[in-house]
Amino acid sequence: MSRTVAVAGVSLELEERGDGPPLLFLHAGEGLEPQRDWLDLLARRFRVIAPHHPGWGNSSLPDWMMTVDDLAYLYLDLAGALQLQDAILVGACFGGWIAAEMAVRDTRRFARLVLADPLGIKVGGVTERDIADMHAMSRDEYMRLAWADPAKGERDLMQLPETELAGIARGREAFARFGWKPYMHNPHLKRWLHRIDIPTLLLWGE
Amino acid sequence: MRCWYFSEMAYHPAWEAGLARGTLRVVLPSSNFDPPTAHRLLNRYLDEFALCDEVGLDIMVNEHHSTATCMTVSVPMALAIIARETKRARLLSLGTPIANRPDPVRVAEEMAWLDVLSGGRLEMGLVKGAPYEIQPANSNPATLMRRYWEAHDLILKAMSTHDGPFNWEGEFFHYRSVNIWPKPVQKPTPPVWMTGMSVGTGTLAAERGHVVGTLLSGGTAKPMYDAYRARARELGWEAGPDRMAYAAVVGVGATREEGLRRADQIADYVRTAPVVAEPFTNPPGYNSIGANVAIMQAGPRAHRIVKDRQGNMIDHRRATVQQFMDTDTVFAGTPDDVFGQIRDFSTRMGGVGHLLFFGQGGHLGHEDTADNIRLFGREVAPRLAELSVSPAPAGIAAAE
């Protein structure tokens, strides 16, 4: 079951499950997909709090909200509103970018940071593509890059109800709004990563 | 009805390579482009535009990017040449993709300059642009229409403000001193056109009184025109045919066979132009949520499919001339045939006041193109002009 909370004028849909130390999970660009295993696996040991980002799921996306900075401040406000203490901040892919932007700003409510295949920085040269152009490849190519086992990620869109399809379309649009240019990174973020002052686990798939 | 000749100035020598690669756009390398060949083609195409002035046709130019389908990269650049080579024709820019342009004030300047150069013959399309234009421009598709409307408002204000600089600090565009020179001949601005295929576009165009145009599919045009007329009525005015435009391939010949052959050759453009690599056909946010739901429900689709007048599904890549005629994509035959087809089409649509005459599509050679233009200009357009009156706005006398 999810519930809705209002933060900074945004109506956020939250998934919550499990008991234990608090863990704020920020999902990838594809969406939270709470029916998949990942939240349940985390919920075995943690109290998992997983918002649908603004524009994904049933979370609202105000016109003014256009950058990942906005999302970082929004979730710092959420952590405050939920009075999180010593929480674990976990971000996957796009969620990892948001988590890093939060951590360079304020880590007071967090004890540890986990970044799984995060977007958000580019270290290569002008003509090098550090971050694959997800919007310039076929769906099949994308699935091969995004999933160790692409079959696990497949969804038969033609079988899904209209509300869920609308959610997918909204999420894709929101992902583009936040990440189109510069493509899926903030050129300044890498200059401030030294400010992260909590133990950080970086997970990187090949 | 006014008739506007247009040509995409195609680079058809690369089409085979594009079809083999599965895309004519965005990622087809320019190793497939031969500058000396293009030099000859561009000059030939400009001669064909100039011929329109002699036979009483108006002229339309559009632009695309990173593509073998259209060499025009800048409408103002092409229209600047055509303005100098013509005396009477009105010149339609359809148009500038203003949500992909970083600098709307520059667009306003260029349009005003063209209006002055041509003595007030400019008509100004402010367009959204096709989905595959997003990637070459790298403009954010999720904020495309918000940028479009801000640029639209800024361009019209810049062209119609004559009492010194104004400030513009919007969501997407920031200027502290907008004060364009020259100012246009036509007041408050040259006539504004939009393009689209949806009911929403029809409604929004009606709210501003702009001309609305659509391309190559009568089936989608009718609901858009109806929405325009309904919205205008709600706002207390009657939208006549002069607010509605339609683009179609037209092949005219001395015989029906000749007209059909010409249309068939031009229609190769329609068969190849939709061949675009999948990721660039529907960038996120370009289409509405509702349209995206429908696309996902329909499942993977091959290419552009349209319905003919009987409701049959027609695949543009493989359609015959007759099938294109059944979807109102092509009008073809003798001058009498073509006049009758366009008249009937306009009647079915509730009155269309502008025909955008797609009269060269790549494969049609120069002699055929010139003859197509002459026959249409001399034998079809004058009869269409009597169907509905779309008077040209008054400019100043053409420069001597």
Side-chain angles (χ1 to χ4, degrees):
Chain A
M1 284 299 289
S2 65
R3 69 172 168 125
T4 300
V5 298
V7 183
V10 179
S11 169
L12 273 181
E13 184 186 6
L14 290 188
E15 305 284 343
E16 291 168 291
R17 56 187 79 163
D19 293 302
L23 183 151
L24 180 61
F25 179 81
L26 303 180
H27 67 73
E30 282 282 282
L32 181 55
E33 300 184 57
Q35 77 286 0
R36 291 194 187 276
D37 293 339
W38 45 57
L39 293 187
D40 286 334
L41 289 169
L42 290 169
R44 287 181 191 168
R45 289 179 51 204
F46 302 99
R47 172 191 162 209
V48 177
I49 303 148
H52 294 261
H53 303 323
W56 281 260
N58 292 307
S59 294
S60 67
L61 176 57
D63 279 353
W64 61 264
M65 188 166 261
M66 296 185 46
T67 68
V68 176
D69 304 14
D70 293 324
L71 298 176
Y73 290 119
L74 177 79
Y75 288 138
L76 288 171
D77 274 9
L78 174 69
L82 297 177
Q83 299 180 317
L84 298 185
Q85 294 298 333
D86 294 328
I88 302 172
L89 176 59
V90 182
C93 187
F94 179 62
W97 176 6
I98 304 169
E101 295 273 10
M102 292 166 70
V104 300
R105 285 167 170 75
D106 183 358
T107 55
R108 273 174 297 171
R109 293 186 177 277
F110 302 100
R112 292 167 196 282
L113 173 65
V114 180
L115 303 174
D117 292 330
L119 297 172
I121 68 165
K122 174 183 164 78
V123 293
V126 174
T127 61
E128 288 161 38
R129 269 237 73 85
D130 294 20
I131 300 168
D133 191 343
M134 296 170 269
H135 294 93
M137 61 180 72
S138 69
R139 188 72 195 160
D140 287 347
E141 286 172 85
Y142 170 79
M143 292 304 286
R144 280 197 296 276
L145 277 181
W147 290 77
D149 178 2
K152 284 191 175 162
E154 283 301 348
R155 279 181 293 181
D156 186 353
L157 295 181
M158 292 171 79
Q159 302 302 318
L160 293 180
E162 222 166 85
T163 49
E164 217 159 311
L165 294 178
I168 291 171
R170 287 179 69 239
R172 287 179 182 174
E173 186 172 326
F175 194 30
R177 191 198 286 194
F178 290 110
W180 198 267
K181 190 163 77 173
Y183 194 70
M184 299 300 164
H185 73 286
N186 167 5
H188 294 254
L189 177 58
K190 66 184 175 196
R191 308 287 179 190
W192 298 111
L193 289 175
H194 64 268
R195 288 176 49 85
I196 298 178
D197 54 3
I198 52 177
T200 299
L201 173 65
L202 179 66
L203 298 169
W204 198 254
E206 286 292 339
Chain B
M1 186 182 287
R2 298 188 72 87
C3 296
W4 310 74
Y5 170 81
F6 89 103
S7 150
E8 296 238 341
M9 304 205 234
Y11 188 75
H12 49 285
W15 286 3
E16 284 303 320
L19 291 173
R21 200 187 163 101
T23 188
L24 275 86
R25 302 178 189 270
V26 188
V27 292
L28 181 66
S30 65
S31 56
N32 295 288
F33 184 90
D34 176 50
T37 304
H39 165 78
R40 286 189 295 276
L41 281 173
L42 277 178
N43 282 282
R44 186 201 121 186
Y45 293 148
L46 288 167
D47 289 345
E48 291 163 1
F49 278 110
L51 173 61
C52 295
D53 201 45
E54 294 173 25
V55 301
L57 291 171
D58 293 321
I59 290 168
M60 171 199 143
V61 172
N62 68 345
E63 69 176 59
H64 287 286
H65 301 269
S66 295
T67 178
T69 63
C70 175
M71 285 192 282
T72 321
V73 291
S74 156
V75 173
M77 203 157 66
L79 279 186
I81 296 164
I82 295 168
R84 287 281 295 167
E85 297 198 341
T86 58
K87 299 284 185 217
R88 292 176 302 179
R90 290 194 63 79
L91 308 172
L92 169 60
S93 160
L94 198 65
T96 306
I98 56 173
N100 293 345
R101 283 279 185 282
D103 185 352
V105 170
R106 173 67 178 254
V107 174
E109 286 176 332
E110 289 174 348
M111 289 295 134
W113 188 91
L114 270 174
D115 201 43
V116 171
L117 175 72
S118 65
R121 290 185 284 140
L122 182 71
E123 310 231 351
M124 183 170 74
L126 304 177
V127 304
K128 177 181 177 182
Y132 35 74
E133 299 296 317
I134 294 289
Q135 192 78 6
N138 198 18
S139 62
N140 192 326
T143 47
L144 191 74
M145 288 316 287
R146 286 163 64 190
R147 240 175 11 258
Y148 174 90
W149 286 114
E150 188 179 329
H152 166 279
D153 294 350
L154 172 53
I155 289 166
L156 297 189
K157 185 172 170 65
M159 293 180 85
S160 57
T161 298
H162 309 301
D163 55 356
F166 65 85
N167 191 64
W168 188 279
E169 290 170 283
E171 257 191 308
F172 299 96
F173 305 108
H174 295 257
Y175 301 86
R176 285 175 291 150
S177 187
V178 182
N179 181 31
I180 68 160
W181 285 62
K183 69 180 182 191
V185 170
Q186 297 174 91
K187 300 289 179 290
T189 70
V192 181
W193 292 51
M194 290 176 65
T195 52
M197 296 211 235
S198 69
V199 164
T201 303
T203 305
L204 291 168
E207 288 171 359
R208 290 155 184 87
H210 298 342
V211 181
V212 71
T214 195
L215 185 70
L216 298 172
S217 176
T220 52
K222 181 77 166 50
M224 186 177 78
Y225 298 145
D226 287 344
Y228 191 116
R229 285 184 280 255
R231 185 67 184 135
R233 222 165 280 136
E234 280 172 14
L235 296 169
W237 61 287
E238 206 56 40
D242 70 325
R243 298 296 91 190
M244 315 294 161
Y246 186 72
V249 168
V250 183
V252 196
T255 63
R256 183 167 295 165
E257 292 65 36
E258 188 175 55
L260 287 167
R261 175 182 60 78
R262 285 175 180 161
D264 193 28
Q265 283 185 278
I266 302 167
D268 280 343
Y269 177 88
V270 189
R271 296 182 182 110
T272 49
V275 179
V276 185
E278 174 206 321
F280 310 117
T281 57
N282 183 25
Y286 182 89
N287 286 301
S288 69
I289 299 299
N292 273 296
V293 168
I295 289 167
M296 286 188 263
Q297 284 174 329
R301 83 197 153 123
H303 279 288
R304 185 168 177 185
I305 306 285
V306 296
K307 272 189 196 156
D308 72 7
R309 289 193 293 275
Q310 279 72 45
N312 303 310
M313 306 305 272
I314 306 291
D315 181 344
H316 266 187
R317 284 174 308 163
R318 284 183 262 281
T320 63
V321 166
Q322 187 56 52
Q323 286 176 317
F324 278 134
M325 291 171 76
D326 293 340
T327 63
D328 299 312
T329 304
V330 164
F331 303 122
T334 63
D336 279 348
D337 292 340
V338 169
F339 168 73
Q341 291 161 21
I342 296 173
R343 177 199 56 206
D344 294 349
F345 171 77
S346 174
T347 304
R348 278 202 306 281
M349 295 293 125
V352 173
H354 301 275
L355 181 83
L356 309 175
F357 157 41
F358 198 150
Q360 204 289 332
H363 286 153
L364 195 69
H366 175 68
E367 291 310 318
D368 274 312
T369 302
D371 201 45
N372 199 28
I373 290 169
R374 279 190 290 263
L375 277 173
F376 187 85
R378 290 179 181 150
E379 311 218 6
V380 183
R383 297 169 68 187
L384 291 171
E386 293 167 10
L387 281 184
S388 66
V389 181
S390 296
I396 54 175
E400 292 303 322

